[in-house]
mmCIF file of all heavy atoms in Angstrom:
data_model
loop_
_atom_site.group_PDB
_atom_site.id
_atom_site.type_symbol
_atom_site.label_atom_id
_atom_site.label_comp_id
_atom_site.label_asym_id
_atom_site.label_seq_id
_atom_site.Cartn_x
_atom_site.Cartn_y
_atom_site.Cartn_z
ATOM 1 N N PHE A 1 0.810 -1.213 -0.006
ATOM 2 C CA PHE A 1 0.004 -0.005 0.016
ATOM 3 C C PHE A 1 0.864 1.263 0.005
ATOM 4 O O PHE A 1 0.618 2.195 -0.788
ATOM 5 C CB PHE A 1 -0.908 0.017 1.225
ATOM 6 C CG PHE A 1 -2.039 -0.981 1.157
ATOM 7 C CD1 PHE A 1 -2.540 -1.595 2.290
ATOM 8 C CD2 PHE A 1 -2.623 -1.313 -0.067
ATOM 9 C CE1 PHE A 1 -3.575 -2.509 2.221
ATOM 10 C CE2 PHE A 1 -3.672 -2.234 -0.139
ATOM 11 C CZ PHE A 1 -4.136 -2.836 1.028
ATOM 12 N N LEU A 2 1.868 1.312 0.894
ATOM 13 C CA LEU A 2 2.633 2.542 1.034
ATOM 14 C C LEU A 2 3.651 2.728 -0.074
ATOM 15 O O LEU A 2 3.766 3.846 -0.610
ATOM 16 C CB LEU A 2 3.365 2.530 2.385
ATOM 17 C CG LEU A 2 2.425 2.543 3.646
ATOM 18 C CD1 LEU A 2 3.257 2.526 4.903
ATOM 19 C CD2 LEU A 2 1.525 3.784 3.612
ATOM 20 N N ARG A 3 4.327 1.675 -0.426
ATOM 21 C CA ARG A 3 5.359 1.809 -1.450
ATOM 22 C C ARG A 3 4.806 1.667 -2.867
ATOM 23 O O ARG A 3 4.980 2.519 -3.706
ATOM 24 C CB ARG A 3 6.490 0.803 -1.209
ATOM 25 C CG ARG A 3 7.615 0.906 -2.248
ATOM 26 C CD ARG A 3 8.713 -0.061 -1.944
ATOM 27 N NE ARG A 3 9.772 0.015 -2.957
ATOM 28 C CZ ARG A 3 10.891 -0.730 -2.956
ATOM 29 N NH1 ARG A 3 11.116 -1.577 -1.952
ATOM 30 N NH2 ARG A 3 11.774 -0.562 -3.915
ATOM 31 N N GLY A 4 4.097 0.555 -3.100
ATOM 32 C CA GLY A 4 3.643 0.258 -4.440
ATOM 33 C C GLY A 4 2.538 1.176 -4.910
ATOM 34 O O GLY A 4 2.519 1.618 -6.070
ATOM 35 N N GLU A 5 1.595 1.510 -4.017
ATOM 36 C CA GLU A 5 0.414 2.288 -4.394
ATOM 37 C C GLU A 5 0.517 3.768 -4.145
ATOM 38 O O GLU A 5 -0.297 4.541 -4.644
ATOM 39 C CB GLU A 5 -0.821 1.727 -3.731
ATOM 40 C CG GLU A 5 -1.176 0.313 -4.196
ATOM 41 C CD GLU A 5 -1.521 0.277 -5.658
ATOM 42 O OE1 GLU A 5 -2.434 0.979 -6.112
ATOM 43 O OE2 GLU A 5 -0.819 -0.474 -6.388
ATOM 44 N N VAL A 6 1.485 4.193 -3.332
ATOM 45 C CA VAL A 6 1.631 5.629 -3.037
ATOM 46 C C VAL A 6 2.979 6.164 -3.571
ATOM 47 O O VAL A 6 3.015 6.991 -4.459
ATOM 48 C CB VAL A 6 1.495 5.911 -1.511
ATOM 49 C CG1 VAL A 6 1.716 7.382 -1.209
ATOM 50 C CG2 VAL A 6 0.124 5.468 -1.012
ATOM 51 N N VAL A 7 4.071 5.635 -3.029
ATOM 52 C CA VAL A 7 5.376 6.164 -3.379
ATOM 53 C C VAL A 7 5.670 5.940 -4.861
ATOM 54 O O VAL A 7 6.091 6.862 -5.587
ATOM 55 C CB VAL A 7 6.482 5.509 -2.515
ATOM 56 C CG1 VAL A 7 7.871 5.956 -2.960
ATOM 57 C CG2 VAL A 7 6.247 5.878 -1.034
ATOM 58 N N ASP A 8 5.468 4.702 -5.356
ATOM 59 C CA ASP A 8 5.771 4.419 -6.770
ATOM 60 C C ASP A 8 4.918 5.234 -7.705
ATOM 61 O O ASP A 8 5.375 5.684 -8.763
ATOM 62 C CB ASP A 8 5.593 2.912 -7.047
ATOM 63 C CG ASP A 8 6.730 2.095 -6.466
ATOM 64 O OD1 ASP A 8 7.728 2.672 -6.010
ATOM 65 O OD2 ASP A 8 6.588 0.832 -6.444
ATOM 66 N N ARG A 9 3.621 5.407 -7.380
ATOM 67 C CA ARG A 9 2.740 6.167 -8.251
ATOM 68 C C ARG A 9 3.084 7.673 -8.244
ATOM 69 O O ARG A 9 2.973 8.344 -9.250
ATOM 70 C CB ARG A 9 1.288 5.986 -7.838
ATOM 71 C CG ARG A 9 0.725 4.603 -8.170
ATOM 72 C CD ARG A 9 -0.724 4.505 -7.772
ATOM 73 N NE ARG A 9 -1.248 3.161 -7.970
ATOM 74 C CZ ARG A 9 -1.766 2.730 -9.113
ATOM 75 N NH1 ARG A 9 -1.826 3.520 -10.158
ATOM 76 N NH2 ARG A 9 -2.238 1.498 -9.215
ATOM 77 N N LEU A 10 3.464 8.193 -7.068
ATOM 78 C CA LEU A 10 3.716 9.618 -6.949
ATOM 79 C C LEU A 10 5.079 10.023 -7.470
ATOM 80 O O LEU A 10 5.245 11.123 -8.001
ATOM 81 C CB LEU A 10 3.548 10.051 -5.506
ATOM 82 C CG LEU A 10 2.147 10.030 -4.901
ATOM 83 C CD1 LEU A 10 2.176 10.451 -3.471
ATOM 84 C CD2 LEU A 10 1.233 10.954 -5.694
ATOM 85 N N PHE A 11 6.083 9.147 -7.315
ATOM 86 C CA PHE A 11 7.459 9.589 -7.551
ATOM 87 C C PHE A 11 8.236 8.789 -8.575
ATOM 88 O O PHE A 11 9.381 9.144 -8.876
ATOM 89 C CB PHE A 11 8.213 9.634 -6.218
ATOM 90 C CG PHE A 11 7.586 10.469 -5.144
ATOM 91 C CD1 PHE A 11 6.934 9.872 -4.081
ATOM 92 C CD2 PHE A 11 7.582 11.833 -5.268
ATOM 93 C CE1 PHE A 11 6.337 10.649 -3.092
ATOM 94 C CE2 PHE A 11 6.986 12.627 -4.283
ATOM 95 C CZ PHE A 11 6.358 12.021 -3.195
ATOM 96 N N THR A 12 7.657 7.699 -9.079
ATOM 97 C CA THR A 12 8.420 6.867 -10.030
ATOM 98 C C THR A 12 7.524 6.530 -11.232
ATOM 99 O O THR A 12 6.310 6.756 -11.209
ATOM 100 C CB THR A 12 8.893 5.568 -9.383
ATOM 101 O OG1 THR A 12 7.786 4.673 -9.213
ATOM 102 C CG2 THR A 12 9.559 5.804 -8.029
ATOM 103 N N SER A 13 8.137 5.975 -12.240
ATOM 104 C CA SER A 13 7.418 5.520 -13.436
ATOM 105 C C SER A 13 7.239 4.021 -13.441
ATOM 106 O O SER A 13 7.153 3.406 -14.501
ATOM 107 C CB SER A 13 8.127 5.995 -14.699
ATOM 108 O OG SER A 13 9.460 5.470 -14.710
ATOM 109 N N ALA A 14 7.220 3.411 -12.242
ATOM 110 C CA ALA A 14 7.186 1.946 -12.144
ATOM 111 C C ALA A 14 5.956 1.361 -12.830
ATOM 112 O O ALA A 14 6.018 0.255 -13.340
ATOM 113 C CB ALA A 14 7.223 1.540 -10.665
ATOM 114 N N HIS A 15 4.842 2.113 -12.813
ATOM 115 C CA HIS A 15 3.623 1.571 -13.379
ATOM 116 C C HIS A 15 3.550 1.766 -14.901
ATOM 117 O O HIS A 15 2.647 1.257 -15.543
ATOM 118 C CB HIS A 15 2.408 2.221 -12.721
ATOM 119 C CG HIS A 15 2.248 1.804 -11.278
ATOM 120 N ND1 HIS A 15 1.491 0.726 -10.875
ATOM 121 C CD2 HIS A 15 2.760 2.316 -10.136
ATOM 122 C CE1 HIS A 15 1.515 0.600 -9.569
ATOM 123 N NE2 HIS A 15 2.296 1.526 -9.100
ATOM 124 N N GLY A 16 4.471 2.537 -15.448
ATOM 125 C CA GLY A 16 4.557 2.689 -16.893
ATOM 126 C C GLY A 16 3.332 3.333 -17.551
ATOM 127 O O GLY A 16 2.938 2.915 -18.638
ATOM 128 N N ARG A 17 2.748 4.333 -16.896
ATOM 129 C CA ARG A 17 1.537 4.973 -17.422
ATOM 130 C C ARG A 17 1.870 6.393 -17.872
ATOM 131 O O ARG A 17 1.701 7.335 -17.104
ATOM 132 C CB ARG A 17 0.435 4.940 -16.384
ATOM 133 C CG ARG A 17 -0.008 3.539 -16.051
ATOM 134 C CD ARG A 17 -0.991 3.467 -14.910
ATOM 135 N NE ARG A 17 -1.496 2.116 -14.685
ATOM 136 C CZ ARG A 17 -2.298 1.741 -13.678
ATOM 137 N NH1 ARG A 17 -2.643 2.675 -12.793
ATOM 138 N NH2 ARG A 17 -2.679 0.506 -13.542
ATOM 139 N N ASN A 18 2.350 6.507 -19.097
ATOM 140 C CA ASN A 18 2.671 7.790 -19.677
ATOM 141 C C ASN A 18 3.556 8.652 -18.766
ATOM 142 O O ASN A 18 3.227 9.748 -18.380
ATOM 143 C CB ASN A 18 1.367 8.572 -19.981
ATOM 144 C CG ASN A 18 0.448 7.808 -20.871
ATOM 145 O OD1 ASN A 18 0.766 7.507 -22.019
ATOM 146 N ND2 ASN A 18 -0.721 7.452 -20.372
ATOM 147 N N PRO A 19 4.772 8.144 -18.443
ATOM 148 C CA PRO A 19 5.638 8.863 -17.507
ATOM 149 C C PRO A 19 6.319 10.111 -18.088
ATOM 150 O O PRO A 19 6.854 10.912 -17.356
ATOM 151 C CB PRO A 19 6.683 7.814 -17.117
ATOM 152 C CG PRO A 19 6.757 6.910 -18.296
ATOM 153 C CD PRO A 19 5.364 6.843 -18.863
ATOM 154 N N GLN A 20 6.350 10.268 -19.413
ATOM 155 C CA GLN A 20 6.979 11.414 -20.028
ATOM 156 C C GLN A 20 6.336 12.707 -19.545
ATOM 157 O O GLN A 20 5.122 12.800 -19.487
ATOM 158 C CB GLN A 20 6.915 11.313 -21.553
ATOM 159 C CG GLN A 20 7.631 10.101 -22.132
ATOM 160 C CD GLN A 20 6.697 8.876 -22.171
ATOM 161 O OE1 GLN A 20 5.607 8.895 -21.613
ATOM 162 N NE2 GLN A 20 7.125 7.832 -22.872
ATOM 163 N N TRP A 21 7.138 13.699 -19.254
ATOM 164 C CA TRP A 21 6.642 14.915 -18.605
ATOM 165 C C TRP A 21 5.568 15.634 -19.466
ATOM 166 O O TRP A 21 4.632 16.233 -18.933
ATOM 167 C CB TRP A 21 7.788 15.905 -18.359
ATOM 168 C CG TRP A 21 8.427 16.461 -19.616
ATOM 169 C CD1 TRP A 21 9.493 15.939 -20.259
ATOM 170 C CD2 TRP A 21 8.024 17.596 -20.349
ATOM 171 N NE1 TRP A 21 9.796 16.671 -21.377
ATOM 172 C CE2 TRP A 21 8.894 17.718 -21.438
ATOM 173 C CE3 TRP A 21 7.031 18.559 -20.181
ATOM 174 C CZ2 TRP A 21 8.798 18.746 -22.364
ATOM 175 C CZ3 TRP A 21 6.921 19.582 -21.120
ATOM 176 C CH2 TRP A 21 7.798 19.659 -22.202
ATOM 177 N N TYR A 22 5.663 15.508 -20.808
ATOM 178 C CA TYR A 22 4.727 16.229 -21.680
ATOM 179 C C TYR A 22 3.410 15.475 -21.852
ATOM 180 O O TYR A 22 2.455 16.064 -22.366
ATOM 181 C CB TYR A 22 5.401 16.432 -23.046
ATOM 182 C CG TYR A 22 5.851 15.170 -23.737
ATOM 183 C CD1 TYR A 22 4.970 14.429 -24.519
ATOM 184 C CD2 TYR A 22 7.154 14.715 -23.567
ATOM 185 C CE1 TYR A 22 5.405 13.266 -25.154
ATOM 186 C CE2 TYR A 22 7.581 13.543 -24.175
ATOM 187 C CZ TYR A 22 6.711 12.818 -24.966
ATOM 188 O OH TYR A 22 7.119 11.659 -25.563
ATOM 189 N N LYS A 23 3.372 14.180 -21.465
ATOM 190 C CA LYS A 23 2.153 13.422 -21.695
ATOM 191 C C LYS A 23 0.961 13.969 -20.912
ATOM 192 O O LYS A 23 -0.152 13.904 -21.366
ATOM 193 C CB LYS A 23 2.383 11.961 -21.321
ATOM 194 C CG LYS A 23 3.213 11.179 -22.346
ATOM 195 C CD LYS A 23 2.476 11.078 -23.663
ATOM 196 C CE LYS A 23 3.254 10.196 -24.655
ATOM 197 N NZ LYS A 23 3.303 8.799 -24.334
ATOM 198 N N GLY A 24 1.219 14.504 -19.742
ATOM 199 C CA GLY A 24 0.146 15.085 -18.943
ATOM 200 C C GLY A 24 -0.541 16.241 -19.662
ATOM 201 O O GLY A 24 -1.766 16.337 -19.666
ATOM 202 N N PHE A 25 0.251 17.102 -20.255
ATOM 203 C CA PHE A 25 -0.308 18.254 -20.990
ATOM 204 C C PHE A 25 -1.112 17.776 -22.224
ATOM 205 O O PHE A 25 -2.170 18.312 -22.514
ATOM 206 C CB PHE A 25 0.793 19.192 -21.415
ATOM 207 C CG PHE A 25 1.503 19.857 -20.302
ATOM 208 C CD1 PHE A 25 2.689 19.312 -19.762
ATOM 209 C CD2 PHE A 25 1.020 21.011 -19.729
ATOM 210 C CE1 PHE A 25 3.340 19.930 -18.716
ATOM 211 C CE2 PHE A 25 1.647 21.646 -18.673
ATOM 212 C CZ PHE A 25 2.829 21.082 -18.163
ATOM 213 N N MET A 26 -0.604 16.703 -22.868
ATOM 214 C CA MET A 26 -1.292 16.187 -24.044
ATOM 215 C C MET A 26 -2.615 15.531 -23.658
ATOM 216 O O MET A 26 -3.650 15.801 -24.251
ATOM 217 C CB MET A 26 -0.399 15.172 -24.772
ATOM 218 C CG MET A 26 0.847 15.765 -25.374
ATOM 219 S SD MET A 26 1.946 14.510 -26.079
ATOM 220 C CE MET A 26 0.869 13.739 -27.276
ATOM 221 N N ILE A 27 -2.583 14.674 -22.616
ATOM 222 C CA ILE A 27 -3.772 13.893 -22.233
ATOM 223 C C ILE A 27 -4.802 14.825 -21.573
ATOM 224 O O ILE A 27 -5.969 14.902 -22.033
ATOM 225 C CB ILE A 27 -3.383 12.745 -21.331
ATOM 226 C CG1 ILE A 27 -2.468 11.763 -22.069
ATOM 227 C CG2 ILE A 27 -4.631 12.050 -20.821
ATOM 228 C CD1 ILE A 27 -1.890 10.677 -21.143
ATOM 229 N N TYR A 28 -4.409 15.497 -20.528
ATOM 230 C CA TYR A 28 -5.358 16.296 -19.758
ATOM 231 C C TYR A 28 -5.768 17.546 -20.455
ATOM 232 O O TYR A 28 -6.940 17.961 -20.367
ATOM 233 C CB TYR A 28 -4.777 16.579 -18.371
ATOM 234 C CG TYR A 28 -4.377 15.358 -17.613
ATOM 235 C CD1 TYR A 28 -3.216 15.347 -16.815
ATOM 236 C CD2 TYR A 28 -5.120 14.188 -17.668
ATOM 237 C CE1 TYR A 28 -2.849 14.221 -16.112
ATOM 238 C CE2 TYR A 28 -4.735 13.065 -16.971
ATOM 239 C CZ TYR A 28 -3.605 13.062 -16.202
ATOM 240 O OH TYR A 28 -3.236 11.935 -15.480
ATOM 241 N N GLY A 29 -4.833 18.180 -21.175
ATOM 242 C CA GLY A 29 -5.173 19.381 -21.927
ATOM 243 C C GLY A 29 -6.203 19.087 -23.009
ATOM 244 O O GLY A 29 -7.197 19.827 -23.155
ATOM 245 N N SER A 30 -6.003 18.013 -23.730
ATOM 246 C CA SER A 30 -6.962 17.684 -24.792
ATOM 247 C C SER A 30 -8.318 17.279 -24.235
ATOM 248 O O SER A 30 -9.365 17.628 -24.799
ATOM 249 C CB SER A 30 -6.417 16.532 -25.644
ATOM 250 O OG SER A 30 -6.183 15.374 -24.884
ATOM 251 N N LEU A 31 -8.351 16.609 -23.098
ATOM 252 C CA LEU A 31 -9.622 16.208 -22.486
ATOM 253 C C LEU A 31 -10.419 17.425 -22.053
ATOM 254 O O LEU A 31 -11.632 17.522 -22.264
ATOM 255 C CB LEU A 31 -9.368 15.272 -21.326
ATOM 256 C CG LEU A 31 -9.045 13.829 -21.661
ATOM 257 C CD1 LEU A 31 -8.761 13.043 -20.399
ATOM 258 C CD2 LEU A 31 -10.198 13.170 -22.417
ATOM 259 N N LEU A 32 -9.775 18.367 -21.380
ATOM 260 C CA LEU A 32 -10.469 19.549 -20.895
ATOM 261 C C LEU A 32 -10.897 20.459 -22.034
ATOM 262 O O LEU A 32 -11.945 21.122 -21.944
ATOM 263 C CB LEU A 32 -9.629 20.292 -19.888
ATOM 264 C CG LEU A 32 -9.346 19.585 -18.570
ATOM 265 C CD1 LEU A 32 -8.494 20.447 -17.643
ATOM 266 C CD2 LEU A 32 -10.671 19.247 -17.862
ATOM 267 N N ALA A 33 -10.124 20.515 -23.087
ATOM 268 C CA ALA A 33 -10.443 21.394 -24.201
ATOM 269 C C ALA A 33 -11.490 20.775 -25.106
ATOM 270 O O ALA A 33 -12.570 21.322 -25.346
ATOM 271 C CB ALA A 33 -9.186 21.726 -25.000
ATOM 272 N N ALA A 34 -11.211 19.558 -25.624
ATOM 273 C CA ALA A 34 -12.108 18.917 -26.559
ATOM 274 C C ALA A 34 -13.254 18.178 -25.870
ATOM 275 O O ALA A 34 -14.331 18.038 -26.427
ATOM 276 C CB ALA A 34 -11.343 17.942 -27.446
ATOM 277 N N GLY A 35 -13.019 17.698 -24.663
ATOM 278 C CA GLY A 35 -14.043 16.905 -23.973
ATOM 279 C C GLY A 35 -15.173 17.697 -23.451
ATOM 280 O O GLY A 35 -16.167 17.115 -22.980
ATOM 281 N N PHE A 36 -15.102 19.033 -23.493
ATOM 282 C CA PHE A 36 -16.180 19.887 -22.990
ATOM 283 C C PHE A 36 -16.727 20.822 -24.059
ATOM 284 O O PHE A 36 -17.455 21.764 -23.739
ATOM 285 C CB PHE A 36 -15.731 20.689 -21.768
ATOM 286 C CG PHE A 36 -15.600 19.869 -20.526
ATOM 287 C CD1 PHE A 36 -14.504 19.103 -20.263
ATOM 288 C CD2 PHE A 36 -16.648 19.885 -19.585
ATOM 289 C CE1 PHE A 36 -14.434 18.337 -19.107
ATOM 290 C CE2 PHE A 36 -16.571 19.128 -18.427
ATOM 291 C CZ PHE A 36 -15.454 18.342 -18.185
ATOM 292 N N LEU A 37 -16.331 20.576 -25.315
ATOM 293 C CA LEU A 37 -16.849 21.438 -26.388
ATOM 294 C C LEU A 37 -18.383 21.321 -26.468
ATOM 295 O O LEU A 37 -18.929 20.265 -26.199
ATOM 296 C CB LEU A 37 -16.239 21.009 -27.738
ATOM 297 C CG LEU A 37 -14.768 21.353 -27.931
ATOM 298 C CD1 LEU A 37 -14.249 20.753 -29.240
ATOM 299 C CD2 LEU A 37 -14.570 22.842 -27.939
ATOM 300 N N PRO A 38 -19.079 22.406 -26.815
ATOM 301 C CA PRO A 38 -18.553 23.689 -27.237
ATOM 302 C C PRO A 38 -18.440 24.745 -26.105
ATOM 303 O O PRO A 38 -18.169 25.930 -26.330
ATOM 304 C CB PRO A 38 -19.612 24.190 -28.225
ATOM 305 C CG PRO A 38 -20.880 23.661 -27.641
ATOM 306 C CD PRO A 38 -20.518 22.356 -26.983
ATOM 307 N N TRP A 39 -18.644 24.285 -24.859
ATOM 308 C CA TRP A 39 -18.740 25.241 -23.746
ATOM 309 C C TRP A 39 -17.525 26.094 -23.514
ATOM 310 O O TRP A 39 -17.644 27.280 -23.187
ATOM 311 C CB TRP A 39 -19.123 24.432 -22.478
ATOM 312 C CG TRP A 39 -20.408 23.699 -22.617
ATOM 313 C CD1 TRP A 39 -20.577 22.350 -22.591
ATOM 314 C CD2 TRP A 39 -21.710 24.260 -22.770
ATOM 315 N NE1 TRP A 39 -21.881 22.035 -22.695
ATOM 316 C CE2 TRP A 39 -22.623 23.191 -22.822
ATOM 317 C CE3 TRP A 39 -22.199 25.567 -22.852
ATOM 318 C CZ2 TRP A 39 -23.998 23.348 -22.978
ATOM 319 C CZ3 TRP A 39 -23.570 25.747 -23.009
ATOM 320 C CH2 TRP A 39 -24.431 24.657 -23.075
ATOM 321 N N PRO A 40 -16.270 25.592 -23.637
ATOM 322 C CA PRO A 40 -15.115 26.495 -23.435
ATOM 323 C C PRO A 40 -15.110 27.668 -24.388
ATOM 324 O O PRO A 40 -14.666 28.786 -24.000
ATOM 325 C CB PRO A 40 -13.921 25.559 -23.643
ATOM 326 C CG PRO A 40 -14.432 24.194 -23.306
ATOM 327 C CD PRO A 40 -15.843 24.189 -23.793
ATOM 328 N N LEU A 41 -15.562 27.471 -25.622
ATOM 329 C CA LEU A 41 -15.559 28.578 -26.599
ATOM 330 C C LEU A 41 -16.549 29.660 -26.158
ATOM 331 O O LEU A 41 -16.240 30.855 -26.191
ATOM 332 C CB LEU A 41 -15.932 28.056 -27.967
ATOM 333 C CG LEU A 41 -14.998 26.986 -28.554
ATOM 334 C CD1 LEU A 41 -15.504 26.501 -29.885
ATOM 335 C CD2 LEU A 41 -13.584 27.520 -28.669
ATOM 336 N N PHE A 42 -17.745 29.256 -25.727
ATOM 337 C CA PHE A 42 -18.732 30.227 -25.256
ATOM 338 C C PHE A 42 -18.254 30.959 -24.003
ATOM 339 O O PHE A 42 -18.423 32.157 -23.861
ATOM 340 C CB PHE A 42 -20.044 29.529 -24.962
ATOM 341 C CG PHE A 42 -20.798 29.089 -26.167
ATOM 342 C CD1 PHE A 42 -21.125 27.753 -26.387
ATOM 343 C CD2 PHE A 42 -21.206 29.986 -27.154
ATOM 344 C CE1 PHE A 42 -21.777 27.312 -27.474
ATOM 345 C CE2 PHE A 42 -21.872 29.573 -28.280
ATOM 346 C CZ PHE A 42 -22.150 28.217 -28.455
ATOM 347 N N ALA A 43 -17.628 30.210 -23.092
ATOM 348 C CA ALA A 43 -17.175 30.839 -21.865
ATOM 349 C C ALA A 43 -16.056 31.832 -22.132
ATOM 350 O O ALA A 43 -16.011 32.935 -21.533
ATOM 351 C CB ALA A 43 -16.692 29.740 -20.899
ATOM 352 N N LEU A 44 -15.098 31.494 -23.022
ATOM 353 C CA LEU A 44 -14.022 32.433 -23.334
ATOM 354 C C LEU A 44 -14.561 33.685 -24.008
ATOM 355 O O LEU A 44 -14.118 34.795 -23.721
ATOM 356 C CB LEU A 44 -13.003 31.737 -24.232
ATOM 357 C CG LEU A 44 -12.074 30.713 -23.563
ATOM 358 C CD1 LEU A 44 -11.197 30.028 -24.612
ATOM 359 C CD2 LEU A 44 -11.214 31.386 -22.516
#
C-alpha cells in the first residue's frame, strides 16, 4: 500500500503509465479542451 500504491505512483514511473513529462499536458489538456466542447468557446 505505502510503497507500491503511493510512493511508486507519486514519484516513479514503475507503473509505466505515460511517465513522459509532456504526456500530462497532451492527455489532460486535450480532455479539458475537446471533452467539454462547445462550452469552453462560449465561456471564453
Side-chain angles (χ1 to χ4, degrees):
F1 288 147
L2 295 180
R3 180 177 178 180
E5 293 299 301
V6 177
V7 175
D8 285 350
R9 288 182 185 274
L10 291 178
F11 303 108
T12 74
S13 58
H15 292 268
R17 295 174 175 174
N18 302 297
Q20 300 86 350
W21 66 269
Y22 57 86
K23 285 295 184 69
F25 294 94
M26 295 174 59
I27 297 172
Y28 303 141
S30 60
L31 283 176
L32 292 180
F36 285 82
L37 288 174
W39 300 114
L41 301 178
F42 288 121
L44 286 174

